[in-house]
Amino acid sequence: MFAKLHFALLLLIRSKKKHTAIFVIATLLIFILASTLFISSSIQNDLYKTLATQADFTLQRYRAGHLVDAPVEWIDTALEIEGVKAATGRVYGEHYYEPKEQHFLIIGIDFYDTQMHQDMQKLLKNLDIEEFLSRKNMIIGSGVKAFFDKYHYFNSYTFRPPERSKEKLYIYDTLPQESNLFSSDVILMDINEARKILGIDADHVTDIILSVPNESERQKVYEKLIISHFDTRIITKEDIKRHYQNLFNYKGGLFLTLYIVTLITFLLLLYQRYTMVTTKERQEIALLRSLGWKIDAIIWLKVGENGIIALFAYLFGVILAYIYVYFLDAPLLQAIFLGSDNLRTEASFTPYVNISDLLLLFALFVIPFLLAIIIPLWRLSIEEISETLR
Amino acid sequence: MYSLFISPEITFSLFLHLLLFVLLSIALYHTLILLHSYKREATSALQYSLEKRAYLIATIIQLSLFAYIFLLFFFIHTLEGLASLLPGAMCAAGVVEANIYGLPLILLHFCIIILSLLWISLHQEDLRNKKSPYFKRKFQLFLALYMLIATALITELLFFTQLDFSTPVLCCSTLYRQSSTLPFSLTPLQVALLFYSIYFLLIFSLYKRKRVPTLLLILLFLPLSYYATTYFFSPYIYELPTHRCPFCLLHKEYYFIGYFLYGTYILALYYTLKSCFVKKDKNTSYKSIFFLTLFVFILSFNFIKFIVI
C-alpha cells in the first residue's frame, strides 16, 4: 500500500502542472471557509467565557413592551427571596453622539460597593478611588479614546444631560487592550454622574442582577421573582447562552449553505477535469494496464493521487487561515463579523481551534472531492488499451 | 423544516448522506444491469463491459464505506451537539429518544457499517479466488445494503424534520434509571454474569470454529452487551452509582472511551460474522477473539479496578 502511495506521489511530482489549478482553487475554498470558522469560533468562545462570569438572573422592568427603569426597592424585595445571595442595581445606557451618528456605552459604577462585579474589579484593580472621585472623571475604552482623539477631546468631554445642563468629565484613563472586543465603546464613570447624564432618577436603576449560587434553587427563585412583580422580565444565563448558540448556528448555517453551492460548482469542475484528459494521461493509464495493472488498482492509484492533493490543499488552507485570522487578525473578514457601523473595534482574536469544526470541514471537503472523480476515473481506466497506445 | 437548519452539522450530515446516496444509486443501476445479464462463461462484448462495470460498483461501495464510518462518528457527535439545544437533554440519549426515529437510525447506521465491511471482505475473497465464487452473491448483498441505506436516509430525514426544539425531553439519568426495563426482570448483576459467561462460551466456540453456535451466541451477545454496558458497567466508568447511560461514555470527561469501546465492538462483530460467512480460517477467528477480548477488557477495566482497589 505504501509502495503504491509512494508511486502516486512520484506521479504527482512529475506532473505538477496538471494539478496546480485544482490545488489552488481547493486551497482557496478551504482557506475562506476555515477563516470564517476560526473567527466565529473565537468570538463564540470569548462570548461564552464572558458569559460564565455574568449574573445568573437579570431583572428588567417592562411597561408596554418598553424597557423602563426599575425602582431601587426591587433590590430589597429580591434579596428577601431565599437563595438569592446578592442583588445589585446597574446603571448604564447609550450616549448618542449625534454629528457622527456614533454611540458609546456609559456604565455607572458604585465605587464603594463591595459586591462589585468580578470583571470590573479586575479592570479597576490599580485604580486609586480617592483620586478618581476627587473630580468628575471617566475611564474610556480604546475605541472611544481613538474617537475622542480624532475630534480633539484630549482631556475632557462635555455631555449634555436631558435637563439641558452641561456635564464636563475629564478623561482619567484608558481600558487595557486585551478586553477590546467588548469594552471598546465603553465609558466608565461614577454612578451618580451616569444617572445625571442618562436621565435616571436617584431611586431608580436600569436593571438588577442577581446571583443565585445554588443551581437547584434557581427554578424556585425564578418562579418567586415572576410573582413578585407583574411587570418584570427575567433573563437567565441559560437564555442568553441558548440565544447566542442559535444566532451562531444560524449565521454559520447560512454561510455553510452558501458553501454547499460553491462546493457543488467545484465538484463539477473536478468532474469535468477528469472527463477531458489529455492524450498523455490516457497513454499513461494504458501503459500501466499493459504492464498488467488491474482496473481497480489504477482507479485506487488515481484516487490516492487526488486524496493527496485534497489532503495537502486542506492542510495548506487551514494553516493559511490560522495565520490570517490569529496572526494578522483577519483584515477584511473582521468587518463582516464585528460590524463596522459604530466605533471601530480593533479586536485581536484569541486563538481557539475547535477540533470538531476542523473535522467537519475535512469531511465536507475530502469526501465529496473523492466521490466526484470516481466515475470519470473509471471511464478513463476502462478505455481500450490498443486504441490509446497507437 | 426549520429544524434542518438549526445546526450546521445537521445540514451537512444530510448533504453528505444525500451525495453518497446519489452515487450509490448509480452503482445500483449498474448492479441491476449486471445481475440481469451476467454469464460467467460468455465471451461476448456485453460480458466484458459488465466485468468492467463491476470495478465501478466495487470502488463506489468501498469509498462510501469509508465515508459511512466517518459519518457515523460525526453523526453521534452531531447528536451530542444538539443536546445543548434541546431543553432537558444532557447528552445524546435525550436527543435519540426525542422521537421514535432516533434509535432505529443509530441501529441502521451500525448495520450498514457492518454489512459493508462484510461486503468488502467478500469482495476481496472474490478477487483472490480465480473462479470468483462470490461474484453474483456479493452484488445481491449490495441490493440489501442499498435498501438499508435508503431506509437510513429516509429515517434520518424524518428524524431531523420531526425534531421539536420546544418540548422538553428526558435526560439520560431519567431514561435509564430503572433497571426494571431489563428483559425477564433480571438484575444488572445477573446481566453482567450472563454477559461474561456468554463471552467465554463465544470465545470457546470461535476457537473451535463452530459456525452455528458462534452465530447463536453472537446474537445473544449483542443485546446483552448493550444492557450490560448501560446498566452494569457504565456506573463504574462514570464512578457514580446513579449514572447509567451508553452515550455519556463519548464525553470528554471520560476520555472519549465510548469511541474506542464502540469501535472495538464493531470490529469484533465484523470479524465474528466474517469467520462465520466469508473466511472460515484460523486467522479471522483469532482476530475476532482479540477484538472481543479488547472490548470486554475496556468495558470492565473500571469495574476490575474498583474491585481490586
Side-chain angles (χ1 to χ4, degrees):
Chain A
M1 192 190 162
F2 284 109
K4 270 186 189 163
L5 265 181
H6 182 64
F7 185 58
L9 207 61
L10 286 179
L11 272 182
L12 259 180
I13 292 166
R14 204 178 65 107
S15 51
K16 291 187 279 288
K17 271 184 191 154
K18 269 188 310 197
H19 303 284
T20 323
I22 292 288
F23 180 76
V24 169
I25 296 172
T27 311
L28 204 67
L29 209 66
I30 285 290
F31 166 69
I32 293 173
L33 194 65
S35 335
T36 42
L37 272 178
F38 281 150
I39 294 175
S40 81
S41 65
S42 170
I43 297 177
Q44 202 170 6
N45 191 39
D46 272 4
L47 268 177
Y48 285 166
K49 255 193 219 156
T50 320
L51 201 63
T53 58
Q54 293 290 308
D56 304 313
F57 290 110
T58 309
L59 211 65
Q60 293 179 331
R61 187 181 206 184
Y62 266 78
R63 281 274 165 91
H66 297 286
L67 180 67
V68 293
D69 300 333
V72 185
E73 301 92 68
W74 281 22
I75 299 174
D76 299 324
T77 49
L79 276 171
E80 279 165 20
I81 298 172
E82 289 286 335
V84 177
K85 196 184 154 216
T88 324
R90 293 196 298 187
V91 173
Y92 65 90
E94 251 173 28
H95 170 71
Y96 186 56
Y97 185 79
E98 207 274 328
K100 286 283 155 211
E101 297 184 349
Q102 300 279 359
H103 32 80
F104 315 127
L105 183 66
I106 293 181
I107 298 179
I109 294 174
D110 190 350
F111 286 97
Y112 293 113
D113 186 359
T114 45
Q115 291 170 341
M116 212 198 318
H117 198 269
Q118 282 178 358
D119 275 3
M120 288 291 178
Q121 276 176 352
K122 223 178 281 168
L123 279 179
L124 304 174
K125 203 167 46 193
N126 301 321
L127 183 75
D128 184 359
I129 296 175
E130 291 294 326
E131 197 194 328
F132 182 78
L133 291 178
S134 62
R135 66 173 179 176
K136 288 176 178 173
N137 275 326
M138 61 180 170
I139 299 170
I140 56 180
S142 53
V144 183
K145 170 81 177 153
F147 182 82
F148 279 179
D149 281 352
K150 194 175 168 193
Y151 294 99
H152 292 257
Y153 298 108
F154 293 119
N155 287 320
S156 63
Y157 178 81
T158 310
F159 292 95
R160 303 300 305 269
E163 65 258 23
R164 310 189 74 83
S165 59
K166 280 181 184 170
E167 280 299 320
K168 190 177 183 184
L169 266 72
Y170 295 94
I171 300 169
Y172 184 79
D173 201 0
T174 311
L175 287 173
Q177 278 279 328
E178 64 256 31
S179 54
N180 223 332
L181 199 52
F182 306 110
S183 64
S184 168
D185 61 345
V186 156
I187 301 177
L188 301 176
M189 58 178 74
D190 181 47
I191 195 161
N192 294 321
E193 286 303 326
R195 277 209 172 99
K196 217 179 283 171
I197 291 166
L198 297 168
I200 298 171
D201 298 339
D203 54 350
H204 279 75
V205 288
T206 313
D207 58 18
I208 298 161
I209 49 170
L210 305 178
S211 136
V212 183
N214 188 348
E215 222 170 290
S216 46
E217 277 180 325
R218 281 187 194 152
Q219 185 58 33
K220 204 75 210 162
V221 170
Y222 183 79
E223 285 161 16
K224 282 185 179 167
L225 282 172
I226 283 182
I227 50 172
S228 65
H229 305 287
F230 285 172
D231 51 355
T232 50
R233 219 167 264 190
I234 302 150
I235 302 164
T236 62
K237 207 195 268 187
E238 282 73 33
D239 283 343
I240 304 174
K241 188 167 182 185
R242 191 160 294 155
H243 176 76
Y244 279 150
Q245 205 165 4
N246 274 332
L247 187 74
F248 274 104
N249 276 339
Y250 173 73
K251 271 193 172 178
L254 207 69
F255 196 85
L256 290 176
T257 318
L258 288 176
Y259 171 75
I260 287 187
V261 179
T262 327
L263 188 71
I264 290 173
T265 323
F266 178 67
L267 295 185
L268 222 70
L269 203 80
L270 270 176
Y271 188 89
Q272 279 294 315
R273 188 219 169 285
Y274 278 98
T275 323
M276 303 187 293
V277 287
T278 52
T279 340
K280 207 180 152 200
E281 225 171 328
R282 278 170 211 277
Q283 277 173 350
E284 192 183 283
I285 288 171
L287 203 67
L288 283 177
R289 272 191 67 194
S290 57
L291 282 174
W293 282 52
K294 276 187 186 167
I295 290 174
D296 63 336
I298 293 174
I299 298 179
W300 283 111
L301 177 78
K302 286 283 164 190
V303 166
E305 205 178 275
N306 283 285
I308 294 171
I309 297 176
L311 193 72
F312 273 96
Y314 171 79
L315 286 176
F316 206 54
V318 167
I319 291 169
L320 271 183
Y322 190 92
I323 294 169
Y324 173 71
V325 173
Y326 294 130
F327 290 110
L328 305 175
D329 288 331
L332 285 167
L333 281 174
Q334 200 187 57
I336 299 175
F337 277 88
L338 298 181
S340 53
D341 53 336
N342 200 11
L343 290 181
R344 254 188 79 69
T345 26
E346 292 285 342
S348 73
F349 297 103
T350 332
Y352 175 76
V353 177
N354 196 346
I355 301 290
S356 76
D357 278 351
L358 288 182
L359 276 179
L360 173 87
L361 195 58
F362 184 78
L364 222 77
F365 178 69
V366 176
I367 294 174
F369 191 108
L370 295 182
L371 293 184
I373 55 169
I374 290 186
I375 293 172
L377 275 183
W378 169 72
R379 279 214 193 105
L380 203 64
S381 48
I382 59 164
E383 271 178 12
E384 279 303 319
I385 311 173
S386 50
E387 289 288 316
T388 325
L389 280 181
R390 194 166 291 157
Chain B
M1 287 306 271
Y2 168 70
S3 58
L4 289 186
F5 299 101
I6 202 157
S7 140
E9 278 97 349
I10 297 182
T11 325
F12 279 112
S13 191
L14 273 173
F15 173 71
L16 282 176
H17 276 137
L18 216 64
L19 206 70
L20 280 171
F21 185 71
V22 169
L23 209 71
L24 285 165
S25 298
I26 295 171
L28 180 77
Y29 164 75
H30 289 287
T31 310
L32 288 177
I33 292 176
L34 192 92
L35 282 175
H36 180 252
S37 42
Y38 182 81
K39 282 188 199 71
R40 208 185 137 62
E41 290 77 27
T43 48
S44 58
L46 175 73
Q47 180 61 21
Y48 279 118
S49 83
L50 289 180
E51 301 256 357
K52 282 171 183 170
R53 274 173 212 267
Y55 286 112
L56 176 68
I57 303 167
T59 319
I60 289 179
I61 296 172
Q62 287 176 67
L63 255 187
S64 331
L65 167 79
F66 291 132
Y68 259 97
I69 291 177
F70 189 88
L71 281 173
L72 175 72
F73 289 108
F74 183 66
F75 179 71
I76 291 169
H77 177 78
T78 309
L79 295 183
E80 290 280 325
L82 285 180
S84 62
L85 293 173
L86 271 177
M90 307 286 281
C91 69
V95 184
V96 170
E97 298 285 337
N99 62 39
I100 53 164
Y101 304 108
L103 207 60
L105 189 56
I106 288 202
L107 288 179
L108 273 170
H109 275 285
F110 260 96
C111 290
I112 288 170
I113 285 184
I114 287 175
L115 210 62
S116 33
L117 276 172
L118 275 179
W119 193 93
I120 287 181
S121 64
L122 204 66
H123 175 65
Q124 274 165 356
E125 273 309 293
D126 198 48
L127 286 183
R128 213 166 285 152
N129 200 320
K130 272 185 184 157
K131 283 182 187 161
S132 313
Y134 302 117
F135 195 84
K136 266 205 158 163
R137 197 176 295 163
K138 75 182 178 194
F139 288 112
Q140 280 156 357
L141 182 67
F142 172 63
L143 292 186
L145 189 64
Y146 183 80
M147 290 296 163
L148 267 183
I149 287 170
T151 324
L153 186 71
I154 295 169
T155 320
E156 190 177 348
L157 261 173
L158 283 171
F159 173 70
F160 282 133
T161 44
Q162 311 238 322
L163 217 53
D164 187 356
F165 286 91
S166 48
T167 21
V169 294
L170 293 175
C171 92
C172 55
S173 50
T174 326
L175 277 171
Y176 305 101
R177 182 160 49 197
Q178 270 141 5
S179 41
S180 58
T181 46
L182 283 170
F184 310 115
S185 56
L186 290 165
T187 63
L189 187 66
Q190 283 168 334
V191 169
L193 286 176
L194 256 175
F195 171 78
Y196 277 123
S197 43
I198 296 280
Y199 161 70
F200 283 118
L201 279 175
L202 190 61
I203 283 193
F204 184 69
S205 106
L206 271 170
Y207 182 71
K208 289 280 171 202
R209 282 189 280 144
K210 300 267 186 246
R211 194 172 147 186
V212 180
T214 310
L215 265 179
L216 286 176
L217 283 170
I218 195 87
L219 276 180
L220 258 175
F221 187 75
L222 284 180
L224 258 178
S225 50
Y226 165 71
Y227 286 119
T229 311
T230 313
Y231 292 98
F232 186 78
F233 291 109
S234 69
Y236 289 100
I237 295 172
Y238 302 134
E239 298 179 330
L240 201 68
T242 50
H243 194 183
R244 289 169 176 159
C245 177
F247 290 99
C248 290
L249 291 171
L250 302 163
H251 281 184
K252 201 172 94 192
E253 290 87 343
Y254 313 110
Y255 310 109
F256 301 110
I257 191 172
Y259 289 101
F260 297 104
L261 206 59
Y262 297 134
T264 49
Y265 189 58
I266 288 178
L267 282 174
L269 195 60
Y270 158 64
Y271 279 114
T272 313
L273 289 177
K274 190 179 170 185
S275 73
C276 287
F277 290 114
V278 187
K279 214 175 173 187
K280 291 144 199 153
D281 66 342
K282 247 184 204 165
N283 210 349
T284 322
S285 291
Y286 287 160
K287 269 181 194 162
S288 100
I289 290 173
F290 171 73
F291 282 112
L292 268 174
T293 315
L294 195 64
F295 169 70
V296 174
F297 175 74
I298 296 176
L299 193 59
S300 41
F301 180 74
N302 265 39
F303 170 61
I304 295 166
K305 201 175 95 184
F306 177 77
I307 289 194
V308 171
I309 297 172

